[in-house]
Amino acid sequence: MAYDNTCKYLAEKFPAAFVRWLLPIDEPTDVQVLKTELIQEPIRADSLVFLQTDNQILHLEFETRPYSDPPIAFRMLDYYVRLKRQYSCSINQVVIFLQQTASEQVFVSEYTDANTRHGYRVIRLWEQDPALLLSVPGLLPLATLSQTNSPRTLLEQIANRIATIEEPNQQADLLACTQVLAGLRFEKDLIRQLFRKETMRGSVIYQEIREDGLLEGRKNEALSFLSRLLTRRIGPIAPETSEQIQTLSVEELEDLGEALLDFSEASDLTNWLNQRQP
């Protein structure tokens, strides 16, 4: 579920990037994220995103598995009818499969019944040219799953691209999302190698910490940076855990930055912090 939620976060954080990628609109205006709660009794909202622009709606579904209950095709029909009834505008539906599979279900692009046929668009990320995904910051994490003859080279390109992002919060968000999605394809050791030292320790924040002699203000920036990474990785951080993190030295914060790639739930962070206690 973390993979679906990561993609949902990206689409809601960078909606214009997804609209430009998936709709024939060069410069979308006033892109809005519609709350899924507007649709009564949603079937499944975990990987669901509605983006509205230029009198049309882009409905995105991110999937790691080709099977679900109810089936994906039926959900697309159901949401199409609900959206059409509520907004009376053009509806563009796209299912994006994240993890490569040989299942025939990832080639299904319509729902058919005795008297009903409903089509929608399907994207299999492993077939996508990475060029566009590499050129747009908000799509960088998805590039880890795109088509390539050299997966390591592709991951190196993404790491280098993220390292050039100067806005610290955006860099932290994209780094965390990239690490999560890369886990669908790459070994953890490779992700550590390319992202821990090259991106995180080479980030704007850590460079400033070093250059300014570990000033308290810079440490606070590092704390903010790590908090965003951890939240994207394992979810909200409990207040008592946050207090423990506040007491860490800059060196310990760097160690935590390298360790967080192994975290999958809040208890992993708690255990790591407890092991650091004297």
Side-chain angles (χ1 to χ4, degrees), residues 237-244:
I237 302 173
E240 57 273 18
T241 303
S242 181
E243 290 178 5
Q244 285 184 273

Side-chain angles (χ1 to χ4, degrees), residues 61-111:
E61 287 265 0
F62 298 98
E63 300 292 341
T64 53
R65 296 174 296 179
Y67 297 95
S68 68
D69 184 21
I72 295 171
F74 179 79
R75 293 207 314 269
M76 301 307 283
L77 169 63
D78 182 84
Y79 276 120
Y80 181 89
V81 173
R82 300 185 195 196
L83 288 166
K84 195 72 173 182
R85 181 171 59 240
Q86 184 160 346
Y87 294 98
S88 300
C89 65
S90 176
I91 311 295
N92 298 275
Q93 296 180 293
V94 184
V95 176
I96 301 177
F97 287 103
L98 305 176
Q99 190 167 29
Q100 186 167 0
T101 174
S103 172
E104 295 182 356
Q105 291 300 310
V106 299
F107 294 91
V108 175
S109 60
E110 67 176 17
Y111 173 83

Side-chain angles (χ1 to χ4, degrees), residues 126-142:
W126 57 93
E127 297 177 353
Q128 294 296 298
D129 186 334
L132 174 61
L133 303 177
L134 286 169
S135 67
V136 181
L139 302 179
L140 280 170
L142 296 178

Side-chain angles (χ1 to χ4, degrees), residues 24-66:
I25 302 176
D26 293 330
E27 291 299 330
T29 58
D30 191 27
V31 181
Q32 299 180 26
V33 179
L34 301 180
K35 298 297 183 181
T36 55
E37 290 80 4
L38 295 175
I39 308 300
Q40 294 181 352
E41 298 177 0
I43 295 176
R44 177 169 173 254
D46 297 316
S47 60
L48 181 69
V49 181
F50 299 141
L51 304 178
Q52 186 173 34
T53 182
D54 298 331
N55 197 36
Q56 56 184 310
I57 290 176
L58 174 60
H59 166 201
L60 299 175
E61 287 265 0
F62 298 98
E63 300 292 341
T64 53
R65 296 174 296 179

Side-chain angles (χ1 to χ4, degrees), residues 5 21 45-46 94 106 110-111 115 157 167 181 186 188 201 212 220 232 246 249 252 258 278:
N5 287 336
W21 174 32
D46 297 316
V94 184
V106 299
E110 67 176 17
Y111 173 83
N115 299 305
Q157 288 179 299
E167 204 288 306
L181 293 182
F186 298 94
K188 285 185 178 181
R201 290 193 174 181
D212 291 349
N220 290 337
R232 294 266 66 82
Q246 296 282 337
S249 67
E252 289 172 325
E258 292 199 353

Side-chain angles (χ1 to χ4, degrees), residues 52-276:
Q52 186 173 34
T53 182
D54 298 331
N55 197 36
Q56 56 184 310
I57 290 176
L58 174 60
H59 166 201
L60 299 175
E61 287 265 0
F62 298 98
E63 300 292 341
T64 53
R65 296 174 296 179
Y67 297 95
S68 68
D69 184 21
I72 295 171
F74 179 79
R75 293 207 314 269
M76 301 307 283
L77 169 63
D78 182 84
Y79 276 120
Y80 181 89
V81 173
R82 300 185 195 196
L83 288 166
K84 195 72 173 182
R85 181 171 59 240
Q86 184 160 346
Y87 294 98
S88 300
C89 65
S90 176
I91 311 295
N92 298 275
Q93 296 180 293
V94 184
V95 176
I96 301 177
F97 287 103
L98 305 176
Q99 190 167 29
Q100 186 167 0
T101 174
S103 172
E104 295 182 356
Q105 291 300 310
V106 299
F107 294 91
V108 175
S109 60
E110 67 176 17
Y111 173 83
T112 56
D113 205 338
N115 299 305
T116 303
R117 175 174 293 176
H118 172 69
Y120 51 91
R121 184 179 174 189
V122 170
I123 288 180
R124 295 170 289 276
L125 267 184
W126 57 93
E127 297 177 353
Q128 294 296 298
D129 186 334
L132 174 61
L133 303 177
L134 286 169
S135 67
V136 181
L139 302 179
L140 280 170
L142 296 178
T144 62
L145 306 175
S146 61
Q147 184 181 53
T148 180
N149 293 323
S150 178
R152 181 190 176 94
T153 299
L154 176 62
L155 200 60
E156 289 174 343
Q157 288 179 299
I158 297 167
N160 292 335
R161 180 73 179 85
I162 291 178
T164 66
I165 297 174
E166 296 183 357
E167 204 288 306
N169 289 338
Q170 184 181 95
Q171 186 189 58
D173 289 341
L174 292 175
L175 173 60
C177 291
T178 299
Q179 289 176 331
V180 171
L181 293 182
L184 285 169
R185 186 179 203 174
F186 298 94
E187 295 294 331
K188 285 185 178 181
D189 287 345
L190 179 59
I191 300 173
R192 290 193 193 96
Q193 179 183 349
L194 294 180
F195 287 94
R196 287 183 170 180
K197 293 181 179 179
E198 304 304 328
T199 302
M200 183 162 175
R201 290 193 174 181
S203 71
V204 175
I205 291 175
Y206 276 100
Q207 289 300 324
E208 289 181 347
I209 290 173
R210 292 300 184 188
E211 292 171 5
D212 291 349
L214 307 181
L215 294 177
E216 187 65 26
R218 299 309 183 187
K219 177 182 175 180
N220 290 337
E221 290 183 352
L223 285 168
S224 176
F225 184 88
L226 275 174
S227 294
R228 295 175 71 84
L229 285 176
L230 287 167
T231 300
R232 294 266 66 82
R233 185 71 182 171
I234 60 176
I237 302 173
E240 57 273 18
T241 303
S242 181
E243 290 178 5
Q244 285 184 273
I245 295 174
Q246 296 282 337
T247 65
L248 298 177
S249 67
V250 173
E251 289 77 10
E252 289 172 325
L253 290 175
E254 291 183 349
D255 291 341
L256 175 57
E258 292 199 353
L260 67 83
L261 188 58
D262 294 323
F263 299 166
S264 59
E265 54 188 32
S267 61
D268 295 327
L269 172 59
T270 302
N271 292 336
W272 186 91
L273 290 169
N274 290 338
Q275 291 172 5
R276 308 289 294 195

